C-alpha cells in the first residue's frame, strides 16, 4: 500500500465519511459511520466519533493531518467555522479554515449575501474538487449539486461568485411521506421506477403555473387513474426537479456540471434534456478531491 | 322560533357542520361535530354521525329535507357523487345531486379537466352561495377560497368556467411542523403575529426565483438573525400566500372576492394589496347560503 498522506473527512448532518488519501490524492481506504453532525452533541462526542472511525489510521501514522468539511463546522457542529463570503476561491476557504487542534482543521462554508443570504457547508469543498478534477469548469460554469438541499453554484475565473439553494429533496420527502399526496402512493420503496411519469412531471413544470398548484395534480392524476399509484412518486420527483431546473437554468454559464450521487444526477440529466440544455458534465462525490486540493493550498501536505 | 325549512350540512374531511334554516335562508340554529368524512368508514357510520348531530331536529319535524355538500360525497365518503364538469352553474349541480334516501341529497363536486384535472368538493356550494348573496359577482369574477387547499375559481355569466387548487395551507403545515425550517421556529401556537415578517415574505414571493429556493430563506434569515424565531412562521405564511397570489392573479376577471375564515382572508387582503390588486369583496362561510340556493333550485323547499 502506498504511503498515506492525509485523512479527509466529509462530515455531514447524517453521515461521517473518512478517506485515507495517498500520493497524488489517491483514495487508499474509506470508512463511514452514522455519526453525522446532527446526531452528536458537544466536542467530546465529536472527538469520540472521530477516534472510533479513524483512530486505527492515526495510531499507525500519528503525524497524519486531518481536514474536514461539512456540517461539522456549523453552529451545532464540533465548533463553528464562520462562513466565507462570495466571491471566494480555494485560497479564501483554505485561509479561513478553523483549527480544532494541531491535527484537525475544518473548512468553512460559504455565504452568498448579495440578496437574501444563502449558505452551503460541504458543497464548497465539492466544488473545489470538481474544479481540480475538471479545470475547464473554472472559467465560466454552473455546478449543480442535487440533494436534500440542492445547490446551483456559479463559478467564474476560479471563484464561486454566487449560488442558490433549492429544497427539492426535502420537499419530495415531506410530500411523499406526510401530505395528502402520499395517501394515493404505495409505501416507500415498493415502486418500480417510472421514467415516463418522471418526464411527465418535468414537462408539467415547464408550463406556467405555480408549484403549489401543480403539486395538486399528483392527487388528481391518481384520483382519475391517469397515473398508477406506483407512478405518482416519479411524477412528483419530476415536477420538483423540473421546477428547480426551470429557475436554476436562467444563469447557467458556458458549461454545466452535475456533482453527486450518480442515480440522482441521472434524473437531472433526463430532466435537463427536456429543457434543451446542453448535456452536463457528470462527477461523482468530489469531496475527497476538494479536501486534497485544499490541503495542498494550506500546505498541510 | 320561525318555522324550520331545511337542514343544510357542510360535511368536510374533518368537521360536520349542520345548519337549521328557516324562511328566506335564515340560519336558526347551528351544530357541529368532529365526525368529518375522513374519520368515518361505511354508510352506517355516516348515518349514525348524522343522527347523532341532527336527530333531535328531525324528530321535531320529520318532514324536513336535508342537503349536504363536501367530502361526504367523495370516493371515501358516504357514497360517491360523481363530479360535474366545468363550465357549470347551480342548475347543473342541483340536477346531478345524489339522493341517499328520500330525506337526504348530496351536492356533487366540480372537475375542471381543461388541462390536468382539478377538483373541488364543498367549494362549489360556497360559490353558489356567494353568487346568491352578491349577484354582482355572477357576471365576471374571480372567487378565492383560502384554506388547506385554496381554490381560485373563475365565474362568468353565472357559471364556474374553471378553477385551480393551490396546496398553500397544507404546505404551510408540513413545513411548519416537519421540515428543517421548523427547527428554528418556536413550538406551534406560541408566537405573536408579525405583520412585518408576513409582508416581507409576500414581497419575497413577488421577486423572481422558485418557491423551492425562496423557502430556504426562512432558514437563513433565522440563522443570520435577520428575523426572530417567532417571526419565521409569518414570513413562511407570506411567502406561500404570495406565491399563490402571484400565480392566481393572472386571470382575475373584473371583480375579486375572498370567501372563508375572516382571519385567513385578512392575510390575503394584506397580501393582495402588495400586488396592487383592487380591494376584494369579503364573505364569510357561504356554504349555508349555497345549500339554501341549491335546495330552491331543486324545489326541495
Amino acid at each position: 500500500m502506498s504511503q498515506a498522506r492525509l485523512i479527509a473527512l466529509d462530515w455531514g448532518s447524517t453521515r461521517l465519511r473518512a478517506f485515507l488519501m495517498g500520493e497524488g490524492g489517491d483514495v487508499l481506504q474509506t470508512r463511514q459511520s452514522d455519526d453525522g453532525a446532527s446526531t452528536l452533541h458537544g466536542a467530546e462526542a465529536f472527538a469520540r466519533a472521530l477516534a472510533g472511525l479513524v483512530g486505527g489510521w492515526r495510531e499507525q501514522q500519528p503525524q497524519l493531518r486531518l481536514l474536514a468539511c461539512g456540517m461539522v463546522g456549523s453552529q451545532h457542529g464540533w465548533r463553528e467555522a464562520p462562513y466565507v463570503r462570495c466571491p471566494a476561491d480555494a485560497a479564501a476557504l483554505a485561509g479561513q479554515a478553523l483549527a480544532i487542534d494541531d491535527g484537525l482543521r475544518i473548512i468553512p462554508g460559504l455565504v452568498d449575501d448579495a440578496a437574501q443570504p444563502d449558505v452551503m457547508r460541504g458543497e464548497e469543498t465539492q466544488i473545489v474538487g470538481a474544479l481540480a478534477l475538471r479545470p475547464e469548469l473554472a472559467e465560466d460554469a454552473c455546478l449543480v449539486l442535487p440533494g436534500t438541499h440542492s445547490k446551483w453554484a456559479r463559478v467564474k475565473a476560479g471563484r464561486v461568485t454566487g449560488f442558490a439553494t433549492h429544497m427539492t429533496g426535502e420537499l419530495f420527502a415531506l410530500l411523499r411521506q406526510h401530505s395528502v399526496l402520499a395517501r394515493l402512493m404505495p409505501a416507500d420503496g415498493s415502486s418500480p421506477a417510472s421514467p415516463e411519469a418522471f418526464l411527465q412531471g418535468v414537462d408539467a413544470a415547464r408550463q406556467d403555473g405555480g408549484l403549489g398548484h401543480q403539486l395538486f395534480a399528483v392527487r388528481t392524476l391518481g384520483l382519475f387513474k391517469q397515473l398508477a399509484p406506483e407512478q405518482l412518486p416519479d411524477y412528483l420527483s419530476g415536477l420538483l426537479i423540473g421546477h428547480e431546473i426551470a429557475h436554476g437554468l436562467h444563469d447557467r454559464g458556458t458549461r454545466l456540471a452535475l456533482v453527486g450521487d450518480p442515480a440522482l444526477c441521472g434524473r437531472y440529466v433526463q430532466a435537463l434534456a427536456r429543457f434543451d440544455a446542453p448535456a452536463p458534465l457528470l462527477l461523482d462525490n468530489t469531496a475527497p478531491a476538494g479536501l486534497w486540493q485544499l490541503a495542498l493550498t494550506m500546505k498541510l501536505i
Side-chain angles (χ1 to χ4, degrees), chain A:
Chain A
M1 184 172 99
S2 89
Q3 180 71 17
R5 297 281 312 279
L6 177 74
I7 296 175
L9 303 166
D10 182 4
W11 204 332
S13 292
T14 56
R15 308 280 300 161
L16 164 56
R17 293 176 196 186
F19 304 88
L20 186 67
M21 304 189 79
E23 204 55 56
D26 285 346
V27 173
L28 307 175
Q29 286 185 47
T30 67
R31 291 183 181 171
Q32 55 180 314
S33 79
D34 292 332
D35 286 326
S38 68
T39 71
L40 302 171
H41 303 283
E44 278 182 29
F46 281 89
R48 266 198 309 275
L50 183 61
L53 194 65
V54 306
W57 292 345
R58 300 186 81 178
E59 277 171 27
Q60 288 177 17
Q61 295 192 53
Q63 82 293 355
L64 273 181
R65 298 295 185 86
L66 287 82
L67 190 59
C69 68
M71 294 302 279
V72 64
S74 77
Q75 269 178 28
H76 302 287
W78 192 327
R79 215 193 306 155
E80 188 177 1
Y83 291 107
V84 172
R85 291 177 66 184
C86 289
D89 59 8
L93 291 166
Q96 295 190 49
L98 177 75
I100 297 291
D101 61 35
D102 280 353
L104 170 64
R105 284 175 173 74
I106 299 176
I107 298 298
L110 281 181
V111 58
D112 175 358
D113 55 7
Q116 285 178 320
D118 206 329
V119 293
M120 59 168 64
R121 276 199 191 275
E123 293 90 351
E124 74 296 325
T125 300
Q126 292 188 58
I127 293 169
V128 170
L131 301 187
L133 293 169
R134 302 300 294 259
E136 69 270 31
L137 292 173
E139 191 49 38
D140 181 31
C142 177
L143 274 66
V144 183
L145 298 94
T148 304
H149 296 164
S150 296
K151 309 290 180 184
W152 286 64
R154 282 290 276 122
V155 171
K156 290 180 189 168
R159 303 191 306 173
V160 179
T161 55
F163 61 90
T165 301
H166 298 258
M167 290 182 60
T168 305
E170 181 161 5
L171 283 171
F172 179 80
L174 283 175
L175 292 161
R176 176 76 179 88
Q177 291 163 28
H178 298 293
S179 78
V180 69
L181 308 181
R183 291 184 209 159
L184 295 164
M185 300 180 186
D188 246 353
S190 65
S191 337
S194 170
E196 307 75 27
F198 175 77
L199 292 178
Q200 198 174 329
V202 173
D203 288 343
R206 294 168 56 218
Q207 309 302 312
D208 280 342
L211 178 60
H213 164 55
Q214 293 182 341
L215 284 171
F216 197 65
V218 181
R219 178 170 167 78
T220 52
L221 290 170
L223 206 58
F224 288 96
K225 305 194 191 313
Q226 295 183 15
L227 286 176
E230 63 270 20
Q231 292 183 301
L232 296 176
D234 279 310
Y235 182 86
L236 174 61
S237 170
L239 195 56
L240 290 166
I241 290 175
H243 268 272
E244 177 183 331
I245 290 173
H247 286 96
L249 267 190
H250 75 280
D251 175 28
R252 70 181 182 219
T254 51
R255 289 175 197 269
L256 187 65
L258 285 165
V259 182
D261 172 65
L264 183 55
C265 286
R267 288 185 174 251
Y268 280 70
V269 169
Q270 289 197 302
L272 281 163
R274 306 297 274 205
F275 284 86
D276 298 322
L281 205 72
L282 285 167
L283 290 161
D284 207 334
N285 182 12
T286 55
L291 288 163
W292 179 262
Q293 183 65 31
L294 288 160
L296 287 174
T297 308
M298 296 163 75
K299 303 194 197 311
L300 290 184
I301 48 176

